[in-house]
Amino acid sequence: MLEVSSLSKVYPTPRGEFSVLRDVSMSMQRGESASIMGPSGSGKSTLLYILGALEPPTSGHVSLDGNDPFALDPKALAAFRNRVIGFVFQDHLLLPQCTVIENVLLPTLVGNPLPERHARASDLLDRVGLSHRLDHRPAELSGGEKQRVALARALIRHPPLVLCDEPTGNLDRESAEAVASLLLTLHREQQTVLVVVTHNPTLADRFAGKFELTGQRLVPRGSVT
């Protein structure tokens, strides 16, 4: 479902080209999960944004659900991301003026209509333990609750690929463990491809595939490069 081949990313700078990723390859199928670790500035978020079709690679090939997203025109690409990819970011990125259920429903407001979308949103919020918070706004929620809303939002359209960028980075230990357990439970139930970028080795160890970005390359954790 996710195929990455010989991917590289280079940014132009006044001092010349700055290489972030070099010859990255990976392959994952539905139901598989992986964590990616690496020091700050190693390219973890850049790789995640490329996998999520938010930023094109300089070279190499990315295939999602049998499609090359970077071959699509901007309108088709936006629709593709909405259908195929769910994102969970460190800062949850909830709209403060919207209620909990309105935030979860946001991805359903564009593209093809999602049948019974309110029922789907209510069910997901019940699964993440927030059925009593549907009409609350983000300012009334704890950090862990906000991240659970973000998780429900990411899954509302049944995306085959779920990408998480430091999903527990701003949470206390107890909240982080709860969000991680919930993420893995929903991943198993919905058989997504799940990729999580994290600095937390305890979180990283909970996923079947364990990778590290080092020297601009993606390698299995613990391997010698």
Side-chain angles (χ1 to χ4, degrees):
M1 186 271 166
L2 170 63
E3 299 286 342
V4 177
S5 177
S6 302
L7 184 148
S8 296
K9 183 66 178 182
V10 177
Y11 292 101
T13 74
R15 297 187 178 183
E17 292 186 338
F18 176 67
S19 179
V20 179
L21 301 171
R22 180 161 51 99
D23 197 27
V24 170
S25 298
M26 65 186 302
S27 176
M28 295 179 66
Q29 301 301 318
R30 292 289 290 260
E32 294 182 342
S33 67
S35 61
I36 300 175
M37 295 191 70
S40 296
S42 61
K44 301 185 302 299
S45 293
T46 298
L47 176 57
L48 206 68
Y49 295 158
I50 293 173
L51 298 183
L54 291 170
E55 185 170 346
T58 302
S59 62
H61 182 74
V62 178
S63 176
L64 300 175
D65 206 23
N67 297 278
D68 177 358
F70 300 108
L72 302 173
D73 63 60
K75 183 177 180 179
L77 177 57
F80 177 82
R81 277 196 301 259
N82 182 257
R83 176 177 61 86
V84 174
I85 306 166
F87 290 95
V88 181
F89 297 100
Q90 180 175 349
D91 294 320
H92 54 75
L93 301 181
L94 302 181
L95 295 183
Q97 71 272 28
C98 294
T99 65
V100 163
I101 195 166
E102 288 170 345
N103 269 285
V104 173
L105 286 168
L106 281 174
T108 73
L109 302 181
V110 297
N112 296 327
L114 184 67
E116 300 180 350
R117 62 185 186 179
H118 281 83
R120 167 72 172 164
S122 295
D123 179 64
L124 279 170
L125 287 166
D126 182 58
R127 292 285 292 109
V128 302
L130 292 174
S131 58
H132 62 301
R133 294 286 212 172
L134 302 188
D135 296 324
H136 290 241
R137 286 182 166 76
E140 302 173 274
L141 306 180
S142 68
E145 288 173 329
K146 291 174 185 176
Q147 202 62 307
R148 282 185 271 157
V149 176
L151 179 54
R153 180 184 59 192
L155 295 173
I156 185 70
R157 293 192 67 91
H158 304 273
L161 175 63
V162 177
L163 304 174
C164 304
D165 193 2
E166 295 285 0
T168 63
N170 286 339
L171 304 180
D172 60 70
R173 181 175 178 179
E174 183 178 352
S175 296
E177 290 178 353
V179 167
S181 295
L182 183 60
L183 177 62
L184 282 163
T185 297
L186 294 173
H187 156 68
R188 286 189 292 266
E189 290 178 358
Q190 302 195 25
Q191 288 294 288
T192 60
V193 172
L194 175 62
V195 181
V196 177
V197 160
T198 181
H199 281 102
N200 186 335
T202 302
L203 174 63
D205 285 343
R206 299 186 67 170
F207 301 95
K210 302 173 183 64
F211 297 93
E212 183 175 2
L213 264 172
T214 179
Q216 306 167 41
R217 296 179 183 273
L218 187 69
V219 299
R221 275 179 63 197
S223 66
V224 178
T225 59

